[in-house]
Amino acid sequence: MSDNQADLIVHARWIAPVAQDKEPSAEVLENHALVVRDGQIVDLLPSALANEKWQAETVQRLDSHLLIPGLINAHTHAAMNLLRGIADDLPLMTWLEKHIWPAEGQFVSEQFVFDGTRLAAAEMIRSGTTCFADQYFFPASAARATVEAGLRASLFCPILDFPTPMGAGPEDYLRLATDAMDEWRHDPRIQIGFGPHAPYTVSDGPLQKVLTLAEELDVPMMMHVHETAG
Ligand SMILES: [Zn+2]
């Protein structure tokens, strides 16, 4: 491959670059081009110069677009989009206890999570989200759907005091979480963590155990702590 040969050049009316390891600089470049080779951005320069410096098989022109880095959704229950619309106008505890937990008890499975995460992935891609932090059942199934869709995710395995379709209680959930960590340890697109659900669903004993394990294994946690005024 010659030095000026790239795979893709994207000319955009505007580009808002956010460099790795740097704060967004509020910089917006006009009439610039992004050059991609071997899956990596190798150049960012004025469109006029790009035409002189680079050649590529694929050239895209986005004449009225702002090109930005992928968005990150910092809190999801992705597969729950299969329950979208169920009792969605009720206070949190009524919604959970009377509607969502019973529905999850009836429907949630590994297949449900795989299918629901796939659908969520399609919706995320459509709106520019390329990475998300999720807390939902069967994180290994969510991981498969995520990688298949070409996205990245941190997936936090729920820990609760009571039985769910994923197990009988905290011991089961912790084992499932650590199994998923082992399975996905070497995939750079997936990070598995612990998701102790909330102060009202995890008592102090299991929560302490989660904290100890998270520190030992050096993995992150996600927990609901300020969902509502209550
Ligand atoms: Zn949540």
Side-chain angles (χ1 to χ4, degrees), residues 20-206:
Q20 211 169 14
D21 307 324
K22 279 188 194 164
E23 293 294 316
S25 59
E27 184 180 28
V28 179
L29 306 168
E30 195 165 358
N31 294 317
H32 271 57
L34 194 102
V35 184
V36 178
R37 184 160 70 186
D38 297 330
Q40 297 210 326
I41 296 169
V42 292
D43 209 350
L44 176 61
L45 70 176
S47 277
L49 292 180
N51 292 331
E52 294 170 18
K53 186 174 171 188
W54 293 98
Q55 296 179 339
E57 295 245 323
T58 309
V59 178
Q60 284 185 3
R61 292 185 188 281
L62 305 175
D63 292 332
S64 58
H65 296 68
L66 168 66
L67 191 62
I68 61 170
L71 299 174
I72 297 172
N73 189 332
H75 184 72
T76 64
H77 307 275
M80 282 187 82
N81 63 6
L82 296 182
L83 304 174
R84 179 178 288 155
I86 293 182
D88 64 359
D89 56 353
L90 295 172
L92 177 64
M93 291 319 291
T94 311
W95 180 76
L96 281 174
E97 290 173 353
K98 301 267 189 250
H99 300 279
I100 290 302
W101 288 340
E104 287 179 335
Q106 191 176 348
F107 295 116
V108 168
S109 64
E110 291 182 57
Q111 188 66 45
F112 176 101
V113 171
F114 181 79
D115 292 342
T117 307
R118 278 188 88 196
L119 175 58
E123 292 178 353
M124 285 190 264
I125 290 167
R126 198 176 174 198
S127 57
T129 297
T130 58
C131 182
F132 61 104
D134 190 73
Q135 190 200 95
Y136 209 57
F137 302 109
F138 301 113
S141 298
R144 271 185 283 283
T146 302
V147 166
E148 198 182 285
L151 298 181
R152 295 182 297 139
S154 291
L155 304 164
F156 298 86
C157 185
I159 316 288
L160 307 103
D161 282 346
F162 48 83
T164 69
M166 202 172 69
E171 292 299 323
D172 282 356
Y173 306 142
L174 287 170
R175 192 170 52 245
L176 208 130
T178 49
D179 284 353
M181 286 166 197
D182 285 343
E183 184 184 346
W184 289 94
R185 190 176 304 278
H186 299 296
D187 194 312
R189 291 161 297 182
I190 297 294
Q191 177 183 47
I192 307 281
F194 293 114
H197 175 260
Y200 54 85
T201 48
V202 193
S203 50
D204 288 354

Side-chain angles (χ1 to χ4, degrees), residues 201-224:
T201 48
V202 193
S203 50
D204 288 354
L207 192 54
Q208 189 59 52
K209 194 172 269 182
V210 170
L211 181 60
T212 304
L213 268 175
E215 284 176 349
E216 270 177 20
L217 300 171
D218 193 25
V219 295
M221 292 168 50
M222 175 195 276
M223 184 174 188
H224 300 98

